[in-house]
Amino acid sequence: SVNPDLASERRTASFGVEKLTALLDGGAEQTQIRRAVVEAIESDPVFSRENQYFQTQNERYEAAVKKAVHLQKKMHEMEWTENGPEFKYIYRALSGDVAFLLHRVFMRSISVLGSDKQIAKWIPLATQHKLIGSYAQTELGHGTYLQGLETTAVFDTATQEFILNTPKISAMKWWPGDMGRSATHTVVFAQLYVHGKCYGIHPFIVQIRSLQDHSLCPGITAGDIGPKMNFEHVDNGYLLLKNVRIPRENMLSKFCEVRPDGTYVRQGSQKINYFTMTTVRISLISDEVLTPLMKACTIAIRYSVVRRQSKLKAGEQEAKILDYQTQQEKLLPQLAAAYAFHFINNYLQELFNRGYREIQRKNFDMLPELHALSSGFKAVITQHCTQGVEICLRACGGHGYSLLSGLPSLYTKILASCIYEGENTILLLQTARFLIKCFMAVSAGQPVPPSVTYLAAVKHGRCPAKNKLDFLSPDIYTEAYQHVAVRLTGSTAAKLQDLIQSGVKKHDAWSQCTVQLVQAAKAHCHYIAVKNFAETVEKLETKAGIQKIMKHLCDLFALHGIFSNSGAFLHDGYTSAAQMDMVTASYLDLLAVIRKDAVPLVDAFDFTDKSLNSALGSYDGQVYQRLYEWAQRSPTNQMSPAYERYLKPLLHNTLSKL
Amino acid sequence: SVNPDLASERRTASFGVEKLTALLDGGAEQTQIRRAVVEAIESDPVFSRENQYFQTQNERYEAAVKKAVHLQKKMHEMEWTENGPEFKYIYRALSGDVAFLLHRVFMRSISVLGSDKQIAKWIPLATQHKLIGSYAQTELGHGTYLQGLETTAVFDTATQEFILNTPKISAMKWWPGDMGRSATHTVVFAQLYVHGKCYGIHPFIVQIRSLQDHSLCPGITAGDIGPKMNFEHVDNGYLLLKNVRIPRENMLSKFCEVRPDGTYVRQGSQKINYFTMTTVRISLISDEVLTPLMKACTIAIRYSVVRRQSKLKAGEQEAKILDYQTQQEKLLPQLAAAYAFHFINNYLQELFNRGYREIQRKNFDMLPELHALSSGFKAVITQHCTQGVEICLRACGGHGYSLLSGLPSLYTKILASCIYEGENTILLLQTARFLIKCFMAVSAGQPVPPSVTYLAAVKHGRCPAKNKLDFLSPDIYTEAYQHVAVRLTGSTAAKLQDLIQSGVKKHDAWSQCTVQLVQAAKAHCHYIAVKNFAETVEKLETKAGIQKIMKHLCDLFALHGIFSNSGAFLHDGYTSAAQMDMVTASYLDLLAVIRKDAVPLVDAFDFTDKSLNSALGSYDGQVYQRLYEWAQRSPTNQMSPAYERYLKPLLHNTLSKL
């Protein structure tokens, strides 16, 4: 039975929930396929996550390995293939709680970086699980800056082998997933040396564990790096190499090869490879970043209509906490952001598909723009969504702090996305470098890629809004965002030039502007996200109330951004104080409007109770029963030796003293 | 041996580190006492936290109970008493990782709410640990709003007993510490009924477990609420009461009593009791909020001078990451905030001591102001410091994400401070209510408490700064903060009045202003923090460079606040765009200045390696060795059944298929 406080929220939905779900999925057929996968996975007890919050790191790892092995069987049984329409839903249905994800990265790196011969040898072995692969790039002392890696691979002409070493403790490989306990092979990135000359970083296939008994190979020291904030199911590992010899054929050699005599040969264009690295940043957004935020919104919003606290009016029943403006202000902007980023993700996916087709035709023109967009949006979306999940957690008060709410694990997991696949600050500076370059080009009348042509549109006008309703016009707010992005890029470019003209060296000038460069990159992405949301809304079908509610969310996303960063909009007077007060008024009005549809808007995400794995967020809203039932099963309610060992003697001691 | 990259940072300190430590401690004698306590605790292996990151919740609980029992012995052995000068350092030296903290709350509630007779009976029993106490207020469905509690205590004249019940699942007591597995007694808050009439919430002493064998008493259901984000060492519990009978004498009756015939009598003034609740919010700031931020700063800043990444200039060695402006911008404002809040905490402590003396003389005039300050600062400081710890964690990249860095547990623990002892949004609204009331009084020419007299100073002037150096003048920035606080309070008061005059009911008007009321309350606290920091700096002795470096931190704290909330300062033109650019320039200049003293500034916090419990933050900066040694000891490096169970059959299966 559904909690009546939750049921009443659903009766008044202003739009068709099933229609919106189909829109999010990209069509009703996709919804059907997704639900079939979810049903198959969730009905299989091996994939259950119901004890997850009670398990130790070792138990989580073992369960993940078990699931990975079982998944092979399941896929065969269900006739799912890696190229089939179901595949993309499997990982999501498992909530990523499965081992051997790096095995896929191992395979991809061989496919992309290996010669045809290497692909022919290794891919079938990997596909058939005759080995378990990993990917060893990051070192204890080296992350983002790849040129700084210290692991060495020295070519020995005599034996036609590479000799691999991690010469210092800071050179130890550190973090690679699946490597701590599972992997038999890994791709090691190392500085290549031939005849004493260093040729930079190259990838090498290295066997680290015996295929017979899983013992470590000679010269290998490897293990697990220990407890982390999340990812307990992954055996992130360390790896020391001491004079480990591998055959010449194990250097992945699509782009570079060492001939038997030690001649180093570079061949082909690596650009497609850079493109692949760039796409990884986009591909993680959906499953690793948007899904957690959508889940957090679902949990926090459902809980906020079930939880009642204090009275808005004397004599009345206690109010649903979602009826408080302050609670709406916490949660509804996160909901709007989830939709905004869903649509920008669609936009980026399409752009990258187009880019891929161009690149296959040897047209690399789009690469700089794609790199700038993927870097900037990876940083902005992971940062925004991480903060959003944290807000959802805090908004649930004490119950949000219980692992049983599901929110802590969503938070601790999404937090990692700000760090992996490029640390966010470094990525934003990549985007900023592109922006500054384009700004200079535009100023010199040169052509620039489509996403930055707006930099030429330096209008020194003022925002034309006359009342608060004007701020519900996408033209008005999109233009305001554009203005801020242009201003921040332009003023930072000017500061850079001033410094250089005053004699500061170029790299020093850059260093002195990084805080402002980061601001400019964020403003650029924020502008594109708002513009894309507005354009998406315009194209939506008007029936079933979908367009109307999406328009409200788009407005909220835009106005919340202005309200929260008002200084950027007020700075040069583009927006006046009176207009900022209109923004605030419209923003607060919107909260009350969207609050009415808040539950249907999270229902449309279509998460099952099992996928939420939350005592607060279930579809039926029976929060208190679930918390109580679940807590009773906690291992902390088993017998503890603490009484016999400590409490009894304590109580007894003092008794005997009297 | 100290890492040379860290050692070099200490050689150039601009001030006397030991002198600053003494200032933070409140005198060199205090430093000495503190260090003696730390030494005694840390040299005792029972109190070791070195395996903490590897332990399960059950292991953490058992260790905490063991420590609590051992602490009794230790205190006796060291001749430490609860009234001695050492006592306040014990909890800090244990990093709070000890059981029976609620036992002290149990005792305090009896001391404050109990009659002399009750105190005489229960306090000796508790002091001698003839029982273990807890404090059961919060319910599954009820937190901040005490009037909403559902537990009932019905007086039975016939037996002279109260009959206690938790009539619904939402009435179940939930969260009380030490109650899940340890406590024998607890203070239960329940709605008192006599002859069918409800008299509201009252406290009752209830025995929940047998003193003979620790089994649950008749009518009692209790247990542990399960896994949480942190506080694994605490057995937060649940409690169901079914017709539990307790003698009439067990209602704590300093202020209210039920006579044998059922007559309800109210006596004395409860004001001193409200004051006690208010002081708890202040008392938690030092140990639970400032210490974690100071530890996080120590860890992140030491790591940031040891970690090198990328090159600022081609051909050079990779740079210390603290040499990047973006890294400075993350960490140094947190360091400045730690000092700012340390000094405001001193200010609040003094104010509360004065308040206590006044209240003992039956002068309750200061109560509203103290309530407003304690609510507002509890919220602002916990919020700011929680965010600060998170920034420190993220600033350490992947290594910050490892539990071995110590940062995740600092974060997950400090996060709770935003929720307990009053949820922050609700507290800020309390402060706002006081502000609005005082603003109206001031406008009507009535007197108001000292901390809000500035609300009368409505100057419609403009910031007089002419160049970036002017923004290093405390008068300039303090006045800017004051202006913003007055403006936000004034404009929200005006909005409230407009709404009411337009016919909106008072409580509805209040509800529609809460987002802005919260902003006003924050601005008020921020202003007082800046003003207090500036005044503190002025009074410092100039020798040993202390005043100079504190002045820099004060400037940074103030300018970072303006830079981050520029909209509030630009809004009505008090600060112009050109002035905001000066703020930015001065702010960025300050980062480079303070960066030079960053390590000495965290050294002055004087944390031992054991108290930091961090592979990244140790005094000697040997980060990589420590991570590696520590990881090797992780239980995840013990034999796992996963190979025999899953990996071997998997590898074997595919082999046999070929």
Side-chain angles (χ1 to χ4, degrees), chain B residues 512-552:
Chain B
Q512 289 172 37
C513 292
T514 48
V515 167
Q516 286 147 306
L517 287 162
V518 165
Q519 287 185 323
K522 284 183 184 169
H524 169 67
C525 293
H526 211 154
Y527 159 59
I528 294 179
V530 167
K531 182 162 156 272
N532 178 68
F533 200 167
E535 287 170 358
T536 304
V537 169
E538 196 143 314
K539 283 181 237 147
L540 289 177
E541 50 179 342
T542 52
K543 64 179 172 188
I546 300 290
Q547 194 187 40
K548 195 173 165 206
I549 186 69
M550 287 299 111
K551 167 72 166 57
H552 288 320

Short mmCIF file of all heavy atoms in Angstrom, two decimals, chain B residues 512-552:
data_model
loop_
_atom_site.label_atom_id
_atom_site.label_comp_id
_atom_site.label_asym_id
_atom_site.label_seq_id
_atom_site.Cartn_x
_atom_site.Cartn_y
_atom_site.Cartn_z
N GLN B 512 7.11 32.69 2.72
CA GLN B 512 7.53 33.13 1.38
C GLN B 512 8.86 33.89 1.40
O GLN B 512 9.39 34.23 0.34
CB GLN B 512 6.44 34.02 0.76
CG GLN B 512 5.20 33.23 0.38
CD GLN B 512 4.06 34.15 -0.06
OE1 GLN B 512 4.28 35.16 -0.70
NE2 GLN B 512 2.85 33.79 0.30
N CYS B 513 9.36 34.16 2.58
CA CYS B 513 10.62 34.92 2.69
C CYS B 513 11.78 34.08 3.21
O CYS B 513 12.88 34.60 3.40
CB CYS B 513 10.43 36.11 3.62
SG CYS B 513 9.33 37.36 2.93
N THR B 514 11.57 32.79 3.44
CA THR B 514 12.58 32.04 4.18
C THR B 514 13.92 31.94 3.46
O THR B 514 14.96 31.97 4.10
CB THR B 514 12.06 30.63 4.56
OG1 THR B 514 11.50 30.02 3.40
CG2 THR B 514 11.03 30.69 5.66
N VAL B 515 13.89 31.82 2.13
CA VAL B 515 15.16 31.75 1.40
C VAL B 515 15.98 33.01 1.65
O VAL B 515 17.18 32.97 1.91
CB VAL B 515 14.92 31.53 -0.11
CG1 VAL B 515 16.20 31.78 -0.92
CG2 VAL B 515 14.40 30.12 -0.37
N GLN B 516 15.31 34.15 1.62
CA GLN B 516 16.01 35.42 1.83
C GLN B 516 16.37 35.64 3.30
O GLN B 516 17.41 36.24 3.61
CB GLN B 516 15.17 36.57 1.28
CG GLN B 516 15.21 36.57 -0.25
CD GLN B 516 13.91 37.04 -0.88
OE1 GLN B 516 12.84 36.51 -0.59
NE2 GLN B 516 14.01 38.03 -1.75
N LEU B 517 15.53 35.13 4.20
CA LEU B 517 15.84 35.24 5.62
C LEU B 517 17.12 34.48 5.95
O LEU B 517 17.95 34.93 6.75
CB LEU B 517 14.66 34.70 6.45
CG LEU B 517 13.43 35.62 6.48
CD1 LEU B 517 12.19 34.85 6.93
CD2 LEU B 517 13.67 36.82 7.40
N VAL B 518 17.27 33.31 5.34
CA VAL B 518 18.49 32.51 5.55
C VAL B 518 19.71 33.30 5.07
O VAL B 518 20.75 33.33 5.74
CB VAL B 518 18.37 31.15 4.84
CG1 VAL B 518 19.72 30.47 4.72
CG2 VAL B 518 17.38 30.25 5.58
N GLN B 519 19.57 33.95 3.93
CA GLN B 519 20.69 34.77 3.42
C GLN B 519 21.06 35.88 4.40
O GLN B 519 22.24 36.13 4.64
CB GLN B 519 20.30 35.40 2.08
CG GLN B 519 20.28 34.43 0.91
CD GLN B 519 20.00 35.15 -0.40
OE1 GLN B 519 19.22 36.10 -0.45
NE2 GLN B 519 20.63 34.68 -1.48
N ALA B 520 20.05 36.52 4.94
CA ALA B 520 20.31 37.62 5.88
C ALA B 520 21.03 37.10 7.12
O ALA B 520 21.99 37.73 7.60
CB ALA B 520 18.99 38.29 6.26
N ALA B 521 20.59 35.97 7.64
CA ALA B 521 21.22 35.41 8.85
C ALA B 521 22.68 35.06 8.58
O ALA B 521 23.57 35.31 9.42
CB ALA B 521 20.45 34.18 9.31
N LYS B 522 22.96 34.51 7.41
CA LYS B 522 24.34 34.17 7.06
C LYS B 522 25.20 35.44 6.97
O LYS B 522 26.33 35.48 7.44
CB LYS B 522 24.39 33.43 5.72
CG LYS B 522 23.96 31.98 5.81
CD LYS B 522 24.13 31.31 4.43
CE LYS B 522 23.63 29.89 4.43
NZ LYS B 522 23.55 29.33 3.08
N ALA B 523 24.63 36.47 6.33
CA ALA B 523 25.39 37.71 6.17
C ALA B 523 25.71 38.33 7.52
O ALA B 523 26.80 38.86 7.73
CB ALA B 523 24.60 38.70 5.30
N HIS B 524 24.77 38.24 8.44
CA HIS B 524 24.97 38.76 9.80
C HIS B 524 26.16 38.05 10.46
O HIS B 524 27.07 38.69 10.99
CB HIS B 524 23.68 38.54 10.59
CG HIS B 524 23.79 38.77 12.06
ND1 HIS B 524 24.02 40.01 12.61
CD2 HIS B 524 23.71 37.90 13.12
CE1 HIS B 524 24.06 39.90 13.94
NE2 HIS B 524 23.88 38.64 14.27
N CYS B 525 26.16 36.72 10.41
CA CYS B 525 27.24 35.96 11.05
C CYS B 525 28.58 36.22 10.36
O CYS B 525 29.62 36.33 11.00
CB CYS B 525 26.92 34.47 11.04
SG CYS B 525 25.52 34.04 12.08
N HIS B 526 28.54 36.30 9.05
CA HIS B 526 29.77 36.52 8.30
C HIS B 526 30.37 37.88 8.69
O HIS B 526 31.58 38.01 8.89
CB HIS B 526 29.48 36.45 6.79
CG HIS B 526 30.63 35.94 5.98
ND1 HIS B 526 30.48 35.31 4.77
CD2 HIS B 526 31.96 35.96 6.20
CE1 HIS B 526 31.67 34.98 4.29
NE2 HIS B 526 32.58 35.36 5.13
N TYR B 527 29.51 38.87 8.80
CA TYR B 527 29.97 40.20 9.20
C TYR B 527 30.63 40.16 10.58
O TYR B 527 31.74 40.68 10.77
CB TYR B 527 28.78 41.19 9.19
CG TYR B 527 28.99 42.42 10.04
CD1 TYR B 527 30.07 43.28 9.79
CD2 TYR B 527 28.13 42.70 11.10
CE1 TYR B 527 30.27 44.41 10.59
CE2 TYR B 527 28.32 43.82 11.90
CZ TYR B 527 29.39 44.66 11.64
OH TYR B 527 29.60 45.76 12.43
N ILE B 528 29.97 39.50 11.52
CA ILE B 528 30.52 39.47 12.88
C ILE B 528 31.85 38.70 12.91
O ILE B 528 32.79 39.09 13.61
CB ILE B 528 29.50 38.85 13.86
CG1 ILE B 528 28.29 39.80 13.97
CG2 ILE B 528 30.11 38.61 15.23
CD1 ILE B 528 27.21 39.30 14.88
N ALA B 529 31.95 37.65 12.10
CA ALA B 529 33.20 36.88 12.06
C ALA B 529 34.34 37.72 11.52
O ALA B 529 35.46 37.68 12.04
CB ALA B 529 33.00 35.62 11.22
N VAL B 530 34.07 38.48 10.46
CA VAL B 530 35.11 39.33 9.87
C VAL B 530 35.51 40.43 10.86
O VAL B 530 36.70 40.67 11.11
CB VAL B 530 34.61 39.97 8.55
CG1 VAL B 530 35.53 41.09 8.10
CG2 VAL B 530 34.49 38.89 7.46
N LYS B 531 34.54 41.07 11.45
CA LYS B 531 34.80 42.15 12.40
C LYS B 531 35.61 41.63 13.59
O LYS B 531 36.58 42.26 14.01
CB LYS B 531 33.44 42.70 12.88
CG LYS B 531 33.51 43.87 13.82
CD LYS B 531 32.17 44.59 13.86
CE LYS B 531 31.94 45.36 15.14
NZ LYS B 531 31.33 44.55 16.21
N ASN B 532 35.21 40.48 14.10
CA ASN B 532 35.91 39.93 15.25
C ASN B 532 37.36 39.56 14.91
O ASN B 532 38.27 39.76 15.70
CB ASN B 532 35.17 38.69 15.76
CG ASN B 532 35.89 38.05 16.93
OD1 ASN B 532 35.96 38.62 18.01
ND2 ASN B 532 36.46 36.88 16.69
N PHE B 533 37.56 39.01 13.70
CA PHE B 533 38.92 38.64 13.28
C PHE B 533 39.77 39.92 13.21
O PHE B 533 40.88 39.98 13.74
CB PHE B 533 38.87 37.93 11.92
CG PHE B 533 40.07 37.09 11.59
CD1 PHE B 533 40.03 36.18 10.52
CD2 PHE B 533 41.27 37.18 12.31
CE1 PHE B 533 41.13 35.39 10.19
CE2 PHE B 533 42.37 36.39 11.98
CZ PHE B 533 42.30 35.50 10.93
N ALA B 534 39.24 40.96 12.59
CA ALA B 534 39.98 42.21 12.46
C ALA B 534 40.31 42.80 13.83
O ALA B 534 41.44 43.24 14.07
CB ALA B 534 39.17 43.21 11.63
N GLU B 535 39.35 42.77 14.73
CA GLU B 535 39.60 43.31 16.07
C GLU B 535 40.61 42.48 16.85
O GLU B 535 41.43 43.01 17.60
CB GLU B 535 38.28 43.39 16.85
CG GLU B 535 37.37 44.52 16.35
CD GLU B 535 35.96 44.48 16.93
OE1 GLU B 535 35.66 43.53 17.71
OE2 GLU B 535 35.16 45.37 16.60
N THR B 536 40.55 41.17 16.64
CA THR B 536 41.51 40.29 17.31
C THR B 536 42.93 40.59 16.84
O THR B 536 43.86 40.67 17.64
CB THR B 536 41.17 38.81 17.01
OG1 THR B 536 39.83 38.56 17.40
CG2 THR B 536 42.11 37.87 17.76
N VAL B 537 43.07 40.74 15.52
CA VAL B 537 44.39 41.01 14.95
C VAL B 537 44.97 42.29 15.52
O VAL B 537 46.14 42.37 15.88
CB VAL B 537 44.31 41.10 13.41
CG1 VAL B 537 45.61 41.65 12.83
CG2 VAL B 537 44.01 39.72 12.82
N GLU B 538 44.11 43.29 15.64
CA GLU B 538 44.57 44.57 16.15
C GLU B 538 45.18 44.46 17.54
O GLU B 538 46.14 45.15 17.88
CB GLU B 538 43.39 45.54 16.18
CG GLU B 538 43.81 46.98 16.31
CD GLU B 538 42.88 47.86 15.48
OE1 GLU B 538 42.62 47.50 14.32
OE2 GLU B 538 42.41 48.86 16.00
N LYS B 539 44.61 43.55 18.34
CA LYS B 539 45.06 43.43 19.73
C LYS B 539 46.28 42.53 19.90
O LYS B 539 46.83 42.42 21.00
CB LYS B 539 43.91 42.88 20.57
CG LYS B 539 42.85 43.92 20.91
CD LYS B 539 41.75 43.31 21.77
CE LYS B 539 40.39 43.46 21.13
NZ LYS B 539 39.46 42.38 21.40
N LEU B 540 46.68 41.81 18.83
CA LEU B 540 47.79 40.85 18.97
C LEU B 540 49.11 41.58 19.18
O LEU B 540 49.30 42.70 18.71
CB LEU B 540 47.89 39.99 17.72
CG LEU B 540 46.79 38.95 17.50
CD1 LEU B 540 47.02 38.25 16.18
CD2 LEU B 540 46.77 37.94 18.65
N GLU B 541 50.03 40.89 19.85
CA GLU B 541 51.36 41.48 19.99
C GLU B 541 52.06 41.41 18.63
O GLU B 541 51.83 40.50 17.83
CB GLU B 541 52.18 40.74 21.05
CG GLU B 541 52.21 39.22 20.89
CD GLU B 541 53.07 38.55 21.97
OE1 GLU B 541 53.88 39.25 22.60
OE2 GLU B 541 52.92 37.34 22.15
N THR B 542 52.89 42.43 18.40
CA THR B 542 53.49 42.53 17.07
C THR B 542 54.73 41.66 16.93
O THR B 542 55.17 41.38 15.83
CB THR B 542 53.88 43.99 16.77
OG1 THR B 542 54.67 44.47 17.86
CG2 THR B 542 52.63 44.86 16.62
N LYS B 543 55.27 41.20 18.04
CA LYS B 543 56.54 40.47 17.91
C LYS B 543 56.36 39.06 17.32
O LYS B 543 55.26 38.54 17.26
CB LYS B 543 57.30 40.43 19.23
CG LYS B 543 56.63 39.69 20.35
CD LYS B 543 57.49 39.71 21.63
CE LYS B 543 56.70 39.12 22.78
NZ LYS B 543 57.33 39.23 24.08
N ALA B 544 57.51 38.53 16.88
CA ALA B 544 57.58 37.19 16.29
C ALA B 544 56.73 37.06 15.02
O ALA B 544 56.41 35.97 14.57
CB ALA B 544 57.21 36.11 17.30
N GLY B 545 56.35 38.19 14.45
CA GLY B 545 55.66 38.15 13.16
C GLY B 545 54.23 37.64 13.22
O GLY B 545 53.60 37.41 12.19
N ILE B 546 53.72 37.43 14.44
CA ILE B 546 52.38 36.83 14.57
C ILE B 546 51.30 37.76 14.01
O ILE B 546 50.43 37.35 13.24
CB ILE B 546 52.07 36.53 16.06
CG1 ILE B 546 53.10 35.56 16.65
CG2 ILE B 546 50.65 35.98 16.20
CD1 ILE B 546 53.02 34.17 16.13
N GLN B 547 51.36 39.02 14.42
CA GLN B 547 50.29 39.92 14.00
C GLN B 547 50.25 40.06 12.48
O GLN B 547 49.18 40.07 11.87
CB GLN B 547 50.47 41.30 14.64
CG GLN B 547 49.22 42.16 14.50
CD GLN B 547 49.43 43.59 14.97
OE1 GLN B 547 50.47 44.19 14.73
NE2 GLN B 547 48.44 44.13 15.65
N LYS B 548 51.44 40.12 11.89
CA LYS B 548 51.50 40.33 10.45
C LYS B 548 50.85 39.17 9.67
O LYS B 548 50.02 39.40 8.78
CB LYS B 548 52.97 40.48 10.03
CG LYS B 548 53.15 41.05 8.65
CD LYS B 548 54.61 41.34 8.35
CE LYS B 548 54.80 41.54 6.86
NZ LYS B 548 56.16 41.23 6.44
N ILE B 549 51.18 37.97 10.05
CA ILE B 549 50.63 36.83 9.30
C ILE B 549 49.13 36.68 9.60
O ILE B 549 48.33 36.33 8.71
CB ILE B 549 51.40 35.52 9.57
CG1 ILE B 549 50.91 34.39 8.67
CG2 ILE B 549 51.32 35.07 11.04
CD1 ILE B 549 51.25 34.58 7.22
N MET B 550 48.72 37.00 10.83
CA MET B 550 47.29 36.92 11.14
C MET B 550 46.51 37.99 10.36
O MET B 550 45.38 37.76 9.93
CB MET B 550 47.06 37.09 12.65
CG MET B 550 47.47 35.89 13.49
SD MET B 550 46.57 34.37 13.08
CE MET B 550 47.86 33.41 12.35
N LYS B 551 47.14 39.14 10.18
CA LYS B 551 46.51 40.19 9.37
C LYS B 551 46.29 39.68 7.94
O LYS B 551 45.23 39.90 7.34
CB LYS B 551 47.39 41.44 9.40
CG LYS B 551 47.07 42.53 8.38
CD LYS B 551 45.78 43.27 8.69
CE LYS B 551 45.62 44.56 7.89
NZ LYS B 551 45.67 44.40 6.44
N HIS B 552 47.28 39.03 7.38
CA HIS B 552 47.12 38.48 6.03
C HIS B 552 45.94 37.49 5.98
O HIS B 552 45.14 37.50 5.03
CB HIS B 552 48.39 37.73 5.60
CG HIS B 552 49.56 38.62 5.29
ND1 HIS B 552 49.44 39.82 4.62
CD2 HIS B 552 50.89 38.47 5.55
CE1 HIS B 552 50.63 40.37 4.48
NE2 HIS B 552 51.53 39.58 5.04
#
